[in-house]
Amino acid sequence: MSSGPVSPALRHAGLNLKYASREEAEQIESDVFGFWVFLMSDAVIFALLFALFGTSLEATVGGPTLASVVKLAPAFIETALLLTSSFTFGMASIELKRTHKFTRRHRHRAVGWLLLTWALGIAFLGMEAHDFVTMAGEGAVPDRSFFLSAYTVLIGTHGLHVLTAVIWLPILLMQMYMFGLDRPLKVNLIRLSLFWHFLDIVWIAIFSIVFLQGAIR
């Protein structure tokens, strides 16, 4: 096998992976594709949770309903936090894309955008935890009804995914400072970027199907 330059098709749109050998680039492409498969399987799981939630709306057993547990204002702020975090992650990717002239200034900017992304994720999780504590204080706990169980599992599963991303990001930042912006780290940043944007898309579906529906009931 030759070690020629990477074809344009093997250069990821998010981060600059040029100057990799053909074998290395093909491995990178395979790794990223594998992560896409993982995201698609995750999408199927969320689709099942949405279906479960849809069938549970009337199963309240006289307990809290969707209209009574949904708080639209906090949900709107949480949506804004996640969408803003996608923007900041995108800005970090732009800085990281400058591989051929990745100076200390570019690194500081990229790290700054990634830290801001992390802070927005933490803020989102803090607000979501506060929502669940408030619900518990009002007696809307998961074992109260099938509806509350389905609601908690759907929102909670998304929250656990965000928690995973929030833990993953500082680990990559530590690797960047310890080992530099090498190619394996870039691939992991691509994966995390895909994961983060995927969670935003899922949350938009949650906001539209769960929170807006609860507000108009």
Side-chain angles (χ1 to χ4, degrees), residues 73 89 139 202 212:
F89 208 130
V202 173
L212 289 183

Side-chain angles (χ1 to χ4, degrees), residues 15-181:
L15 294 176
N16 193 346
L17 297 173
K18 65 181 181 179
Y19 306 127
S21 67
R22 178 168 297 279
E23 294 83 356
E24 192 173 18
E26 288 175 350
Q27 181 61 48
I28 291 169
E29 189 178 50
S30 175
D31 291 344
V32 174
F33 176 76
F35 199 74
W36 272 108
V37 173
F38 162 74
L39 292 180
M40 286 188 283
S41 66
D42 226 17
V44 172
I45 292 174
F46 276 108
L48 293 174
L49 294 180
F50 274 115
L52 185 69
F53 169 78
T55 59
S56 72
L57 289 174
E58 304 302 326
T60 59
V61 201
T65 63
L66 179 62
S68 64
V69 299
V70 161
K71 304 291 187 297
L72 192 58
F76 181 80
I77 296 173
E78 290 164 18
T79 303
L81 288 172
L82 271 190
L83 292 180
T84 305
S85 71
S86 264
F87 171 77
T88 55
F89 208 130
M91 293 302 294
S93 297
I94 291 175
E95 295 297 335
L96 293 168
K97 193 176 178 65
R98 306 172 191 273
T99 303
H100 60 291
K101 52 179 180 179
F102 190 65
T103 63
R104 177 177 296 182
R105 181 167 59 93
H106 291 133
R107 187 174 73 169
H108 287 169
R109 285 181 179 176
V111 170
W113 285 116
L114 289 174
L115 287 176
L116 183 54
T117 302
W118 181 79
L120 291 167
I122 290 290
F124 171 85
L125 288 175
M127 288 196 67
E128 193 165 72
H130 180 267
D131 291 344
F132 278 119
V133 171
T134 301
M135 286 177 58
E138 297 171 349
V141 291
D143 60 353
R144 177 66 178 82
S145 66
F146 175 45
F147 158 69
L148 287 172
S149 297
Y151 177 92
T152 303
V153 170
L154 175 60
I155 308 297
T157 300
H158 177 270
L160 287 176
H161 278 65
V162 176
L163 178 62
T164 301
V166 163
I167 294 173
W168 191 359
L169 181 50
I171 292 174
L172 295 183
L173 286 173
M174 285 191 289
Q175 290 178 338
M176 186 187 299
Y177 269 103
M178 292 176 64
F179 307 114
L181 188 63

